[in-house]
Amino acid sequence: MAPGTRRLARPLLYTAVGVAVGAGAIYWPNRPRRIPGSEPAAVPPPTFSADGGLRPPRFPLVKSRAEQLADLKRGGASPRVPLTHEERSAEVSTSTRADEAAAYDILIIGGGATGSGIALDAVTRGLKVALVERDDFGSGTSSKSTKLVHGGVRYLEKAVWELDYNQYKLVNEALRERKYFLDTAPHLSRWLPIMLPIDRWWKAPYYWAGAKLYDILAGAENIESSYFLTKSKALDAFPMLNKDHLFGAIVYYDGAHNDSRMNVSLAMTAALHGATVINHVEVTALEKDASGKLNGARVKDLVLEKDGQPSEEVSVKAKVIVNATGPFTDSIRKMDRPEAPEIVAPSSGVHIVLPGYYSPANMVHIWPRFPVVTRSRPDRRNPQGLIDPSTSDGRVIFFLPWHGNTIAGTTDEAAEITPNPIPGEKEIDWILSEIRTYLSPEINVRRGDVLSAWSGIRPLVRDPKAKNTESLVRNHLVDVSESGLLTCAGGKWTTYRQMAEETVDEAVRVFGLRSRPVTDAPRVSGSEMVDDGASLDGSCQTHQVRLVGAHGYSKTLFINLIQHFGLETDVARHLIDAYGDRAWTVAALCAPTSQRWPVRGLRISPLYPFVDGEVRYGVRHEYAETAVDVLARRTRLAFLNAQACLEALPRVIDLMAAELGWDQARQEAEWRDSVAFLASMGLPKSRLDLSRKDVERGRAGEFDEEEYRLYSRHDGPADELVSDSTAYGDSSVEPHRKDKSPIIEKESAANK
């Protein structure tokens, strides 16, 4: 090449490389993204016919609870798949073949996230499955989570600093599962921007690098890249932040979900695919054959006992018994072998719920993604969370928007295992004190702002076969005992699907179960447009099995509901987010209001968009058997506001009594049980002795002197605040409180 040509080629090459790098740097953060839930529904909503009529979708129905109990008593219906030629020609007795046909392949004990996930995985592999849950689906830890679907930025930090490959694998696995979560249940999960405030300049590059590594691990499925906000933009996005020592903030994206509704949807999807799934059925004993191997369990229906009827124990035969009872894992292990060592190290995590004004409504601001590019961030009306990575004792605390309120937590303390642990005042006070440190001093974070509080028990586990049996496993444990009890314990909500897959894989490998292609899969979507069995080839396919409600869901579905049923906008939005395309059925079950607007949908609480149709739907289609089932896990009212839940309780009991035929004794028992449960949700002690008549007469809204001073909103209307009046203390101004001061001093007990 001539010297002149070389002199010309070199700058051209440099220019081309620079343009390519610059174009790539601009394109990558601005590239089109696939946002789960924003694409058109797999099954579009029905359209109006020429005569103006509209026929809502017709969805397949799950078996009734009575039918499921009947199946359980006889060992299940006939086998899903005919016996093979080899099985028919084998020299076994007729009675043996009958016993094997009646036996389930897998009997799962526990209906939380793990147990329900195992049921769905196994039944979609063509196995014959039964699941029994002593209480309700998700009644334990699975409904008391932080509501995040996340890889774990803290785990990633540990993986880097400690060069821990296992921690890295845990994050990588969780990020992959996060994608499946959002794909299979887009109505129950969503992306959530989370802000990480920075108080020192040198922390900005540190946290920025960590967030970018988190983005890289998430890969192309990450909806948005993390980014840095200056102090002014951080305050604009989150005005409640403490300005002192604030340098800026990093914003990254993770997932959030409705945990108990996700749990119920998993169980109902498994039931639609043919699994025998029943709640409020207790395992009283495990059964073994002559060689000491497990071959079944004895169970009894607790609902009959609630109705005052005798409940007989029933023997259920199964080839594999799976223990997926979370914190209660050791109790089932000791049924198998009384001397079995305990492997669960229970840890209590307390959360509190605050009013929605503690979280900003959305994130809309101008921000630079590239030195020469500035654009407006799209308004998705997405609320924003906050994480404090350096609390006073080194723990992490989240501050997350949820159903119009704000969740704050969590603690991490050793705890005893109880069905409904009561959150301690010490833990609640610690969370409030941490909140005060990163919110502006102008905001008075009061104990009276706590609308509800709960304690969830996280079942950290030890490996019984490890050399050091005191060390905890980092993720989850799948273990088979000598007698054949298959235990799956530990883990977290985000990785429930992976845990279920590994458990079913182990059952197939150890016990010789034969998975088969599913040829008779139900049309879960209620339409012939989607073949839900097309991918069910006998292998694990739960990463693409859409849950009940996902097929016809879209973010605009609420408009169809408003136009067809005359629902209020916030009610319609809530229904599609909680039920997906099954919102059509829920709306149809709503009673007319006898008003011009809304036409349908009687709220069970005036403060929240939960309506009467949800109670009926929960009873008819989701096996809700108690008022707590509805208030805590079909709707989320108990978690959002314990006081509002108490006030809604009479209405819910009446609706369920009409559906289930409860007598007066059962209704009174439901009241007692529900109020006792609300004690574990932070209901003040002064409300625990109220009777149903007291609540119906409005006494739940009466406050004693101490409580009165917590809530300024209870003051009557006036032209001016009495505390600002020069006539303060004058009996003519406030005759009913002439010797009481309405001023809340800084040192008042109301502020502590």
Side-chain angles (χ1 to χ4, degrees):
M1 183 181 294
T5 304
R6 285 198 300 268
R7 286 195 301 270
L8 181 62
R10 185 171 298 174
L12 287 176
L13 177 61
Y14 291 160
T15 302
V17 171
V19 170
V21 172
I26 295 173
Y27 170 78
W28 181 254
N30 294 280
R31 69 192 184 280
R33 310 289 180 96
R34 187 182 69 83
I35 302 174
S38 63
E39 60 269 12
V43 178
T47 57
F48 287 91
S49 62
D51 61 358
L54 182 146
R55 178 175 293 178
R58 298 180 65 85
F59 300 111
L61 302 178
V62 295
K63 290 182 178 180
S64 69
R65 187 173 182 278
E67 291 173 322
Q68 295 279 36
L69 277 171
D71 284 349
L72 190 71
K73 289 178 181 179
R74 62 172 174 261
S78 59
R80 296 186 60 104
V81 182
L83 296 176
T84 64
H85 176 72
E86 290 78 7
E87 289 171 331
R88 292 186 182 279
S89 61
E91 294 183 357
V92 293
S93 67
T94 303
S95 60
T96 301
R97 288 204 310 270
D99 289 342
E100 290 182 353
Y104 286 99
D105 289 317
I106 298 179
L107 171 62
I108 303 159
I109 307 172
T114 304
S116 299
I118 294 170
L120 180 58
D121 188 305
V123 76
T124 52
R125 297 197 203 190
L127 298 174
K128 190 175 175 183
V129 180
L131 179 149
V132 293
E133 161 59 44
R134 179 177 60 184
D135 196 333
D136 185 29
F137 309 117
S139 59
T141 306
S142 296
S143 64
K144 299 176 180 178
S145 70
T146 310
K147 324 304 179 192
L148 284 176
V149 185
H150 63 128
V153 290
R154 193 65 180 267
Y155 298 136
L156 180 59
E157 183 182 31
K158 290 182 179 179
V160 172
W161 283 109
E162 299 175 9
L163 298 178
D164 190 333
Y165 181 67
N166 289 326
Q167 291 277 10
Y168 166 78
K169 283 175 55 180
L170 174 61
V171 175
N172 208 26
E173 173 186 296
L175 288 173
R176 182 184 66 251
E177 293 300 319
R178 183 183 70 177
K179 168 187 176 293
Y180 298 149
F181 226 107
L182 296 164
D183 285 343
T184 58
H187 56 302
L188 295 172
S189 51
R190 59 187 171 85
W191 288 95
L192 179 69
I194 300 177
M195 177 182 289
L196 196 160
I198 300 172
D199 59 354
R200 297 287 187 272
W201 69 266
W202 56 267
K203 292 183 180 180
Y206 175 76
Y207 287 132
W208 181 87
K212 288 301 177 185
L213 180 56
Y214 198 61
D215 293 343
I216 292 171
L217 288 179
E221 298 301 330
N222 202 31
I223 187 173
E224 286 283 4
S225 299
S226 57
Y227 55 92
F228 173 76
L229 290 178
T230 62
K231 178 178 180 178
S232 61
K233 291 188 179 296
L235 291 172
D236 182 50
F238 211 130
M240 295 82 74
L241 282 177
N242 191 338
K243 302 177 180 63
D244 298 337
H245 307 298
L246 180 66
F247 176 77
I250 296 292
V251 176
Y252 71 96
Y253 283 76
D254 246 326
H257 76 134
N258 188 336
D259 51 7
S260 72
R261 286 230 43 91
M262 181 77 178
N263 200 150
V264 171
S265 296
L266 284 168
M268 293 304 101
T269 307
L272 275 176
H273 279 275
T276 302
V277 176
I278 317 178
N279 55 351
H280 299 287
V281 169
E282 181 180 19
V283 173
T284 58
L286 299 179
E287 295 182 334
K288 298 180 180 180
D289 59 19
S291 63
K293 298 295 183 181
L294 289 173
N295 65 354
R298 298 194 65 79
V299 304
K300 68 175 181 177
D301 181 13
L302 300 181
V303 173
L304 288 176
E305 293 184 350
K306 288 179 179 291
D307 289 331
Q309 303 176 28
S311 178
E312 297 180 355
E313 291 187 358
V314 177
S315 176
V316 180
K317 295 300 181 182
K319 300 170 186 175
V320 182
I321 309 296
V322 174
N323 176 14
T325 52
F328 302 95
T329 294
D330 286 327
S331 63
I332 302 298
R333 282 169 50 82
K334 289 183 181 296
M335 277 189 187
D336 172 38
R337 189 165 67 94
E339 65 275 14
E342 295 186 353
I343 64 172
V344 174
S347 174
S348 170
V350 172
H351 297 79
I352 65 174
V353 172
L354 299 168
Y357 54 73
Y358 277 96
S359 294
N362 54 66
M363 280 185 66
V364 187
H365 51 273
I366 307 297
W367 67 287
R369 300 191 94 156
F370 190 71
V372 296
V373 178
T374 301
R375 71 180 180 96
S376 176
R377 194 168 193 74
D379 179 7
R380 287 185 295 275
R381 299 297 170 191
N382 212 13
Q384 174 183 329
L386 184 143
I387 178 175
D388 181 3
S390 53
T391 58
S392 58
D393 60 1
R395 288 180 288 186
V396 173
I397 190 169
F398 286 96
F399 199 63
L400 306 169
W402 189 61
H403 290 272
N405 286 353
T406 303
I407 293 178
T410 177
T411 61
D412 186 9
E413 302 284 348
E416 294 184 1
I417 299 175
T418 57
N420 293 306
I422 295 178
E425 283 298 321
K426 178 183 176 182
E427 289 79 9
I428 294 174
D429 290 341
W430 179 83
I431 295 174
L432 291 174
S433 66
E434 293 299 326
I435 292 173
R436 294 186 185 104
T437 62
Y438 59 77
L439 292 188
S440 170
E442 301 169 359
I443 299 175
N444 183 17
V445 182
R446 308 173 302 175
R447 176 62 178 85
D449 287 335
V450 178
L451 302 176
S452 68
W454 70 84
S455 175
I457 299 178
R458 183 186 179 195
L460 304 175
V461 292
R462 309 177 185 92
D463 187 348
K465 297 176 182 177
K467 293 182 179 179
N468 181 8
T469 57
E470 293 301 313
S471 61
L472 300 176
V473 299
R474 296 187 183 277
N475 190 1
H476 59 270
L477 171 72
V478 177
D479 175 71
V480 181
S481 70
E482 293 182 1
S483 61
L485 179 64
L486 176 55
T487 295
C488 181
K492 59 181 182 177
W493 240 119
T494 307
T495 58
Y496 86 90
R497 195 208 65 82
Q498 179 69 26
M499 294 166 62
E501 180 179 353
E502 292 180 13
T503 302
V504 179
D505 286 346
E506 188 75 355
V508 170
R509 184 185 68 83
V510 175
F511 298 94
L513 301 182
R514 288 189 292 266
S515 58
R516 304 175 177 89
V518 177
T519 58
D520 57 346
R523 299 283 178 169
V524 179
S525 66
S527 167
E528 296 296 319
M529 299 177 64
V530 177
D531 183 1
D532 292 282
S535 62
L536 304 183
D537 58 1
S539 63
C540 177
Q541 295 294 324
T542 48
H543 61 285
Q544 55 182 340
V545 173
R546 294 193 178 196
L547 301 189
V548 169
H551 298 76
Y553 169 76
S554 72
K555 291 187 176 181
T556 59
L557 180 60
F558 75 97
I559 299 174
N560 302 90
L561 296 180
I562 294 172
Q563 293 175 337
H564 187 67
F565 293 103
L567 301 174
E568 292 178 276
T569 301
D570 61 333
V571 170
R573 286 183 180 273
H574 154 67
L575 291 184
I576 69 165
D577 288 341
Y579 301 90
D581 59 23
R582 263 49 175 189
W584 287 101
T585 306
V586 179
L589 290 172
C590 290
T593 63
S594 301
Q595 299 175 359
R596 183 178 180 277
W597 192 265
V599 179
R600 286 180 179 269
L602 300 173
R603 296 182 186 240
I604 61 175
S605 170
L607 301 176
Y608 298 93
F610 306 121
V611 289
D612 58 325
E614 295 181 76
V615 181
R616 298 186 182 96
Y617 183 86
V619 171
R620 298 183 188 185
H621 302 288
E622 294 181 338
Y623 303 159
E625 292 292 324
T626 70
V628 172
D629 291 351
V630 168
L631 289 167
R633 292 172 289 272
R634 303 311 184 278
T635 70
R636 308 311 309 274
L637 185 56
F639 284 80
L640 290 167
N641 191 321
Q643 173 83 17
C645 187
L646 178 67
E647 294 167 356
L649 184 55
R651 173 70 172 156
V652 171
I653 290 178
D654 287 344
L655 288 168
M656 296 189 72
E659 290 289 321
L660 296 169
W662 288 345
D663 59 18
Q664 188 61 34
R666 176 64 191 273
Q667 293 181 50
E668 292 173 357
E670 284 297 316
W671 179 268
R672 293 191 299 270
D673 293 345
S674 300
V675 173
F677 172 80
L678 289 177
S680 70
M681 302 305 297
L683 186 69
K685 293 180 180 179
S686 61
R687 303 294 183 276
L688 298 179
D689 295 328
L690 293 178
S691 67
R692 172 169 176 161
K693 289 184 178 179
D694 290 334
V695 173
E696 291 175 332
R697 291 169 181 168
R699 285 196 57 197
E702 296 178 1
F703 290 82
D704 58 28
E705 179 62 28
E706 180 180 357
E707 291 173 319
Y708 180 90
R709 292 189 291 176
L710 288 175
Y711 306 99
S712 61
R713 62 178 178 272
H714 289 291
D715 290 332
D719 290 336
E720 64 178 357
L721 292 175
V722 176
S723 57
D724 295 334
S725 173
T726 57
Y728 168 71
D730 189 338
S731 60
S732 64
V733 176
E734 202 179 23
H736 64 292
R737 294 177 54 83
K738 58 186 178 181
D739 60 341
K740 302 292 183 181
S741 170
I743 299 176
I744 300 179
E745 302 291 349
K746 184 177 181 181
E747 299 302 321
S748 169
N751 285 329
K752 294 183 179 179

